[in-house]
Amino acid sequence: MKKNMGQKDKLVRVVIAFIIAVLFYYQIISGFIGVALLLFAIAILLTSLFRFSPLYKIIGIDTNKSNN
């Protein structure tokens, strides 16, 4: 599994996941939409942890500068 995610991309994903988690915790977002967004936040957090995005692989995007 080749890393295809750069540092800036990783940071943006972590910040978005954190914001979604905080909004869910304080019940600003709730119900089905809240759970769906929380699952999305977990998914983008996991992809940033491994620095690999399956969607990027399919589309052919590589934001990792160390690969170039």
Side-chain angles (χ1 to χ4, degrees):
M1 196 165 50
K2 181 179 155 188
K3 295 178 182 177
N4 61 1
M5 188 181 307
Q7 282 297 115
K8 290 179 186 175
D9 196 5
K10 181 179 176 180
L11 179 65
V12 168
R13 288 171 181 251
V14 169
V15 168
I16 290 171
F18 178 75
I19 290 170
I20 291 172
V22 168
L23 291 175
F24 186 80
Y25 179 78
Y26 287 108
Q27 297 180 350
I28 295 170
I29 53 174
S30 61
F32 176 76
I33 297 296
V35 172
L37 284 174
L38 192 61
L39 291 173
F40 174 72
I42 291 169
I44 64 172
L45 196 59
L46 286 174
T47 58
S48 68
L49 177 68
F50 295 110
R51 293 184 63 187
F52 176 78
S53 174
L55 183 60
Y56 280 10
K57 176 90 171 155
I58 292 169
I59 297 173
I61 297 174
D62 187 355
T63 61
N64 189 6
K65 297 211 186 271
S66 65
N67 287 341
N68 298 329

